[in-house]
Amino acid sequence: MRDAEDEEKTNGVVELLTKLLERLAKKDLEANLTAEAIMLEPPLSLNLLFLNAVSSTVLCGEAMAEEAILGYLEKNDEIKDSGEFAAECGIDHNEIVNVVKSLHGFRYVDAQDIKRETWVLTDEGKTYATVGSPEVQLFLAVPQEGISKEELQKKLDPSVFKIGCAQAAKNKWVDMGKQLMSRKVQHVDDKVKDLLLQIQQGLNIGSDEIKALKVRKLIVPQTWKGYSLKRGPNYAPKRKKVVTDLTRDNFQSGEWKELEFKEYNYSAKGQPLEGGSLHPLLKVRAQLKQIFLCMGFEEMPTNNFVESSFWNFDALFQPQQHPARDSHDTFFLETPSTTKILPEDYVQRVRQVHESGGYGSRGYAYDWKREEANKNLLRTHTTAVSSRMLYQLAQKPFAPKKYFSIDRVFRNEAVDRTHLAEFHQIEGLVCDLGLTLCDLIGVLHDFFSRLGMTKLKFKPAYNPYTEPSMEIFSYHEGFKKWVEVGNSGMFRPEMLQPMGLPEDVQVIAWGLSLERPTMILYGIDNIRDLFGHKVDLGLIKKNPICRLGID
Amino acid sequence: MEVSLSYINGLIGVSLEVEEVTKYLNRMQLHAKQCASHNKQCNIVVSVPSSRSDVLHPCDVMEDVAIAYGFNAIKDKVVVDNKGSKRLAASLTLLPLNELSDLIRKEVALIGFTEVLTFILCSKKENFAMLNRKDDKSKAVIIGNRLQTLSMHLIGVVMHPGCHLEINLTKLTYHLFSLHQTAVRTSLMPGILKIVAHNKDHPKPIKVIYGRWRNITEIPPYKHFIVAYCATLAGLSSQIAYGRGQKTSCDIAVLDEQRDVGAKNLRQLAALYCGANAGFEIIHGLVDRVMEKNGVPFVSPGDKSGYYIERSDFLAGRQSRIIYKGKHIGTFGIVHPEVLNNFDIPDP
């Protein structure tokens, strides 16, 4: 038997190897490479070829099963029992089952489950089927004249002795005397062994007998699973290859027409694409810049963080003893510490208007100091740039202007969740003849409505360089309250006329921070989550576009 | 301090009488009375108490009048309602759709797609048959004037810096005259596929390593990414194709019975990935990115608070629909191999 099987396997392997070599021979280059490989490292090459052969054997098995099933269904309506079908074709039923699952998954066939419960012997059961039940073994060990318990125990296996005593007593085959055990009957039938053998042969037995054997744990149930098969909606005599993708190769060869594609999982997202993202604050800045341009404003150059106290404070008619000029609020510079060049005639006019007034004003009546005006600082507002621009405008024949800027300013403030020592300030100003407070209010309504703030109200405030001065409040529908959004006013004549601007020229202006509306827009409640080195890069990546100014 | 009535009214932008001004100023505890009218000008004499050190200039008096009058009561209907002062330049507005398109163009470019600009005019065949679509005669705007078409075509020849696009004008002209009809495209796909067809000679690196066993290194994908934009009244919609092609940033024209001229433009976004594999997951990633940048969340099928993807029965499940708030706004998938052949793209 063994010799025959071995010979059969050997023949199969030889046959497969022959086929492989024949295939390789058709491709000269590869054949040469193969031959070279065999000569150089015969053992490895032979092992690889052998492994390929073994693998082919397995693949052939399942391929045969698939071919058999699909071929049979081509001419017949159904396969009633996959077990019987496997027996008829001489194919292992497990292979049939595997193939059926695959074919059913791809809708080539419709499969209905078939279940049969059968009983199989446990290890203990198999032992008793071979050598007989323990009670029979015990009975046979008891001689006619009787035997002592001790002697009997030595004769038998301990478990056989134990179980045998119980069962033999139950069957009343032996008499358990004080000194001896003796037979009570002359002959017994081993029914247990007979039943076990019947089960092993697949015969049916009574339910009572099954229960008895089950209690003794000699048998356990086993469920046999099979299928009955019919043609499925995607039935075809041969299986189409299923690929995951359309590729250049199968496109060019035209093979795609015969291919079947695996389904996509649409509940998953696509592949994340590598790329960058724009910072939310700067996205808002870009939109605000666009809004100013649409309103006819041009941008002021704000590329100077270092500023002179003169342009930052004095030119704006802010007295030198004003608290804002305290070192607790302003970053004064150590290097470079002083301003080198200022327009001297303008400086003299500023000095005069501070000390003794003019242009209809009575001034602040204090001794103005040049050294104070010469101090350098980090600008505390972008109005410093506005003062420079207005001064330059005054040196030319007058023309109306609309300016804006959005850039960073610096204040010596304690950092908390709503304040930073540096932030972005937005500023807009209009310079024209005969402007009124009403014009300022109109411009503010236009500007803020583009930011989505349609309800505005104004409150009096004090600023040293604007008069009147107004705080701007907007009603926030989400917060259900009025929120301060900015500051505004008309520049004082004491600021404008020393520059040389005509008397009937007025300048209206307003400002707000960039951070606050951005935080409100994106629902960020800590300014450090938005600006600075503690910002979460994930936030920047996921942050949506800013649609301010886009309806 | 003497302040003229015209100064106060002129700066606030209202018209108040002397009696009103004096009343307001007295309310602000600046004692004011009208000056004797020995000239025609109407002046107000204000006595400033020593506690009001901030009053330096007549503008400070004007502010007190404004405060008493009420800042929120100052409303010039013309100024406020027209969103601008008569003396200011007109207030301008950009078109929201164009603004949105520009923002999305930037976002798509940030993740590595290259923008292209292609023609609006295309042949009727390209618009429908070559895309495996049926012309139901309800979408395409047809141009009947052959000569004008030729002129428009020539005017429309554009070299885009990001594309290696070559046009044989003679061949193009001949091709144009041989057409029965020319249509205005109803989809961005013809232009985007033609870009790929004309870039098919782009070099591809190939490496072959010979050893004991022959081994060909996988050929790197031929990547040529392009993006165009699209939008409809329902909001943003995308038409993203996977496979071959280029992107166009332009409008398409479709028939619309409710317009006075019977047609309208739709803004669309189209993108294409071209490589050895179809790359469905890359285009799917682009869809996710565009949605994320519009603040639209990914949700389960049937949920109307965001977007999800569902299957479409085209090329055995290789096409998908984008459902946004219950509406179908776009599709993406693998370009059908027959379409690739129609556009003469043998090597995708």
Side-chain angles (χ1 to χ4, degrees):
Chain A
M1 190 64 166
R2 286 184 181 177
D3 292 341
E5 286 177 352
D6 288 344
E7 186 175 352
E8 185 176 330
K9 284 184 180 178
T10 304
N11 288 336
V13 170
V14 169
E15 186 177 344
L16 287 167
L17 286 172
T18 305
K19 288 183 180 177
L20 283 172
L21 289 172
E22 284 175 1
R23 284 185 209 160
L24 291 174
K26 295 179 182 177
K27 303 178 182 176
D28 297 336
L29 182 58
E30 289 181 338
N32 289 337
L33 287 173
T34 304
E36 185 179 13
I38 291 173
M39 284 190 291
L40 288 177
E41 296 182 13
L44 178 61
S45 303
L46 286 174
N47 284 338
L48 289 174
L49 290 172
F50 183 78
L51 288 173
N52 285 339
V54 172
S55 179
S56 296
T57 302
V58 173
L59 292 177
C60 284
E62 293 208 348
M64 284 171 57
E66 183 176 297
E67 196 171 319
I69 291 172
L70 292 176
Y72 185 89
L73 287 176
E74 188 177 12
K75 299 164 186 172
N76 299 275
D77 283 341
E78 65 176 348
I79 294 173
K80 289 184 179 176
D81 189 320
S82 58
E84 294 174 10
F85 182 78
E88 288 171 17
C89 296
I91 302 173
D92 184 66
H93 187 250
N94 280 333
E95 287 182 4
I96 295 281
V97 168
N98 288 335
V99 168
V100 165
K101 286 178 181 175
S102 178
L103 292 173
H104 180 70
F106 285 99
R107 315 283 285 155
Y108 282 94
V109 300
D110 275 340
Q112 294 289 323
D113 287 350
I114 299 177
K115 287 185 181 179
R116 287 194 213 111
E117 281 224 342
T118 59
W119 299 99
V120 294
L121 306 188
T122 63
D123 290 341
E124 189 179 357
K126 286 174 185 172
T127 302
Y128 298 169
T130 305
V131 302
S133 62
E135 55 266 34
V136 167
Q137 293 181 56
L138 180 136
F139 180 85
L140 295 176
V142 175
Q144 290 288 347
E145 62 276 14
I147 190 171
S148 68
K149 281 188 181 180
E150 290 74 16
E151 289 183 28
L152 185 60
Q153 198 160 3
K154 290 174 185 176
K155 267 188 160 185
L156 297 172
D157 187 81
S159 64
V160 170
F161 176 77
K162 184 180 177 184
I163 299 173
C165 283
Q167 291 293 330
K170 183 181 174 184
N171 293 340
K172 299 181 181 177
W173 291 353
V174 296
D175 186 17
M176 307 289 287
K178 290 184 178 181
Q179 295 296 323
L180 299 174
M181 292 182 64
S182 60
R183 295 186 179 186
K184 292 179 81 175
V185 297
Q186 291 302 311
H187 176 74
V188 296
D189 292 325
D190 193 352
K191 291 184 180 178
V192 168
K193 178 177 176 178
D194 291 342
L195 289 173
L196 292 176
L197 288 172
Q198 288 177 53
I199 289 171
Q200 210 166 36
Q201 293 161 22
L203 303 177
N204 287 326
I205 58 177
S207 59
D208 289 341
E209 290 153 336
I210 285 178
K211 278 184 186 176
L213 293 173
K214 193 174 175 184
V215 167
R216 292 182 65 173
K217 296 182 182 176
L218 302 180
I219 60 174
V220 289
Q222 184 186 66
T223 306
W224 178 89
K225 290 182 180 177
Y227 299 97
S228 68
L229 305 171
K230 291 182 180 177
R231 281 187 285 252
N234 292 341
Y235 173 78
K238 273 193 175 181
R239 183 205 283 263
K240 290 187 177 181
K241 282 191 258 176
V242 177
V243 295
T244 56
D245 214 357
L246 178 72
T247 62
R248 176 181 296 148
D249 290 342
N250 56 41
F251 168 71
Q252 287 178 335
S253 64
E255 194 182 13
W256 59 269
K257 292 168 183 170
E258 300 301 322
L259 294 178
E260 217 172 278
F261 295 98
K262 280 189 179 178
E263 292 250 350
Y264 290 137
N265 174 18
Y266 289 119
S267 60
K269 280 195 158 186
Q271 172 178 302
L273 300 175
E274 286 303 317
S277 299
L278 298 172
H279 191 282
L281 196 64
L282 300 181
K283 292 193 310 207
V284 176
R285 183 182 72 173
Q287 293 308 109
L288 278 159
K289 189 178 287 194
Q290 196 82 283
I291 287 169
F292 275 117
L293 291 171
C294 288
M295 294 176 66
F297 287 72
E298 65 186 282
E299 191 166 18
M300 291 187 277
T302 51
N303 48 343
N304 246 12
F305 293 151
V306 174
E307 187 56 277
S308 164
S309 289
F310 178 79
W311 293 108
N312 200 76
F313 294 125
D314 295 282
L316 299 171
F317 196 59
Q318 186 160 339
Q320 289 187 338
Q321 66 269 27
H322 191 279
R325 299 176 78 153
D326 195 302
S327 61
H328 293 296
D329 285 307
T330 303
F331 290 115
F332 288 100
L333 301 188
E334 185 173 303
T335 306
S337 62
T338 58
T339 309
K340 298 187 191 317
I341 300 173
L342 289 172
E344 291 301 326
D345 52 346
Y346 177 47
V347 172
Q348 291 310 312
R349 293 198 294 273
V350 166
R351 171 194 212 118
Q352 180 188 323
V353 77
H354 275 242
E355 288 184 337
S356 54
Y359 315 100
S361 168
R362 56 189 182 87
Y364 290 122
Y366 74 99
D367 287 332
W368 187 86
K369 293 183 175 63
R370 178 58 181 264
E371 315 84 64
E372 193 67 32
N374 274 354
K375 286 183 178 177
N376 280 350
L377 46 75
L378 294 180
R379 66 178 180 219
T380 61
H381 48 205
T382 50
T383 319
V385 181
S386 302
S387 66
R388 286 176 175 272
M389 297 298 293
L390 289 172
Y391 174 76
Q392 290 177 30
L393 189 63
Q395 310 314 302
K396 296 176 280 186
F398 177 73
K401 279 290 180 179
K402 297 162 81 174
Y403 289 130
F404 81 93
S405 68
I406 307 173
D407 211 331
R408 207 171 295 212
V409 297
F410 308 86
R411 299 199 183 161
N412 196 355
E413 283 189 25
V415 177
D416 59 32
R417 74 192 297 102
T418 58
H419 292 88
L420 293 174
E422 54 177 293
F423 59 96
H424 294 78
Q425 183 177 327
I426 301 165
E427 176 153 341
L429 73 87
V430 184
C431 177
D432 204 342
L433 297 168
L435 288 174
T436 70
L437 187 60
C438 190
D439 294 317
L440 173 58
I441 291 173
V443 171
L444 294 176
H445 276 289
D446 187 2
F447 178 80
F448 283 100
S449 69
R450 293 170 187 257
L451 303 188
M453 308 180 196
T454 53
K455 288 184 187 176
L456 295 184
K457 69 176 183 179
F458 308 96
K459 187 192 283 188
Y462 172 77
N463 278 305
Y465 50 90
T466 53
E467 190 77 358
S469 305
M470 303 194 300
E471 278 174 350
I472 310 161
F473 289 80
S474 168
Y475 188 76
H476 195 284
E477 300 292 343
F479 296 165
K480 299 297 179 188
K481 67 175 186 178
W482 291 92
V483 178
E484 185 191 355
V485 293
N487 217 306
S488 64
M490 302 174 69
F491 284 148
R492 294 190 68 101
E494 295 99 318
M495 172 187 162
L496 299 176
Q497 291 178 36
M499 296 178 171
L501 288 168
E503 189 172 326
D504 51 349
V505 167
Q506 309 296 334
V507 177
I508 58 176
W510 75 98
L512 61 155
S513 87
L514 180 64
E515 279 77 6
R516 186 166 182 78
T518 303
M519 289 169 72
I520 294 175
L521 175 69
Y522 288 121
I524 298 165
D525 65 358
N526 189 329
I527 195 167
R528 284 166 290 194
D529 291 337
L530 177 64
F531 188 5
H533 54 268
K534 294 184 176 176
V535 172
D536 179 11
L537 288 177
L539 168 89
I540 299 178
K541 198 152 197 171
K542 288 181 287 188
N543 190 253
I545 55 176
C546 172
R547 295 173 67 144
L548 288 178
I550 303 174
D551 309 305
Chain B
M1 181 181 291
E2 273 196 32
V3 186
S4 70
L5 179 67
S6 61
Y7 180 81
I8 292 174
N9 282 337
L11 283 186
I12 300 178
V14 295
S15 302
L16 297 175
E17 299 296 334
V18 174
E19 294 76 18
E20 293 173 288
V21 170
T22 53
K23 183 183 69 176
Y24 288 139
L25 286 171
N26 285 321
R27 183 183 295 169
M28 300 294 291
Q29 297 193 1
L30 294 181
H31 301 291
K33 63 181 180 180
Q34 185 178 2
C35 185
S37 59
H38 50 267
N39 53 27
K40 293 185 180 179
Q41 188 176 7
C42 192
N43 282 6
I44 298 167
V45 176
V46 182
S47 305
V48 181
S50 58
S51 59
R52 293 295 305 272
S53 60
D54 59 300
V55 177
L56 306 171
H57 187 278
C59 67
D60 297 300
V61 174
M62 173 270 293
E63 187 201 28
D64 276 27
V65 174
I67 292 172
Y69 181 84
F71 284 162
N72 299 302
I74 302 172
K75 274 181 181 169
D76 184 321
K77 201 170 183 63
V78 173
V79 171
V80 174
D81 290 355
N82 289 353
K83 299 193 173 186
S85 165
K86 290 170 282 187
R87 280 174 287 273
L88 301 172
S91 188
L92 314 175
T93 305
L94 299 179
L95 295 179
L97 180 58
N98 290 343
E99 285 292 284
L100 180 66
S101 300
D102 283 341
L103 291 180
I104 292 173
R105 283 172 58 242
K106 287 171 188 159
E107 290 296 336
V108 175
L110 282 173
I111 51 176
F113 282 77
T114 300
E115 185 174 29
V116 296
L117 190 64
T118 58
F119 298 130
I120 290 166
L121 300 179
C122 63
S123 73
K124 181 179 176 183
K125 185 182 170 193
E126 287 166 349
N127 217 21
F128 292 109
M130 290 173 72
L131 292 176
N132 271 6
R133 287 177 183 162
K134 292 184 178 179
D135 179 10
D136 56 4
K137 303 199 186 294
S138 67
K139 280 195 172 181
V141 175
I142 308 296
I143 296 175
N145 188 319
R146 192 179 292 180
L147 181 60
Q148 183 175 3
T149 299
L150 175 60
S151 301
M152 292 175 70
H153 237 330
L154 291 175
I155 292 169
V157 172
V158 172
M159 295 302 297
H160 194 278
C163 298
H164 301 288
L165 182 62
E166 292 182 11
I167 295 176
N168 185 322
L169 290 181
T170 303
K171 188 173 181 180
L172 179 66
T173 302
Y174 174 81
H175 182 64
L176 189 62
F177 270 102
S178 70
L179 300 176
H180 295 294
Q181 280 180 311
T182 303
V184 176
R185 67 186 168 198
T186 60
S187 164
L188 294 173
M189 288 310 297
I192 204 164
L193 287 165
K194 286 161 96 174
I195 290 276
V196 165
H198 284 97
N199 282 270
K200 61 192 177 187
D201 293 328
H202 197 275
K204 307 174 190 63
I206 297 176
K207 290 185 176 179
V208 178
I209 301 173
Y210 291 95
R212 185 168 305 108
W213 301 102
R214 182 179 179 184
N215 183 24
I216 300 177
T217 306
E218 183 177 350
I219 301 171
Y222 165 40
K223 293 187 177 181
H224 202 75
F225 305 95
I226 47 190
V227 176
Y229 287 93
C230 86
T232 64
L233 292 178
L236 176 74
S237 79
S238 299
Q239 184 163 340
I240 301 173
Y242 176 78
R244 300 296 168 190
Q246 309 292 318
K247 165 232 158 182
T248 301
S249 171
C250 237
D251 294 351
I252 62 171
V254 299
L255 295 178
D256 185 353
E257 291 298 330
Q258 298 181 7
R259 291 299 186 88
D260 59 344
V261 295
K264 68 177 179 182
N265 276 30
L266 295 181
R267 181 65 53 86
Q268 294 195 332
L269 164 71
L272 193 86
Y273 169 85
C274 185
N277 297 319
F280 183 90
E281 68 279 4
I282 292 175
I283 293 295
H284 190 180
L286 175 63
V287 173
D288 294 334
R289 169 76 170 190
V290 169
M291 291 303 176
E292 183 176 58
K293 283 302 165 182
N294 278 275
V296 182
F298 184 64
V299 297
S300 304
D303 190 336
K304 293 197 173 182
S305 62
Y307 80 99
Y308 58 91
I309 313 294
E310 70 177 18
R311 179 196 145 122
S312 172
D313 285 320
F314 179 69
L315 184 54
R318 252 51 195 170
Q319 200 192 57
S320 315
R321 280 196 288 263
I322 306 163
I323 310 299
Y324 166 68
K325 297 193 175 178
K327 292 176 181 172
H328 171 214
I329 63 164
T331 57
F332 66 98
I334 299 171
V335 175
H336 199 287
E338 287 177 10
V339 174
L340 293 175
N341 285 323
N342 291 340
F343 278 89
D344 193 21
I345 304 173
D347 184 12

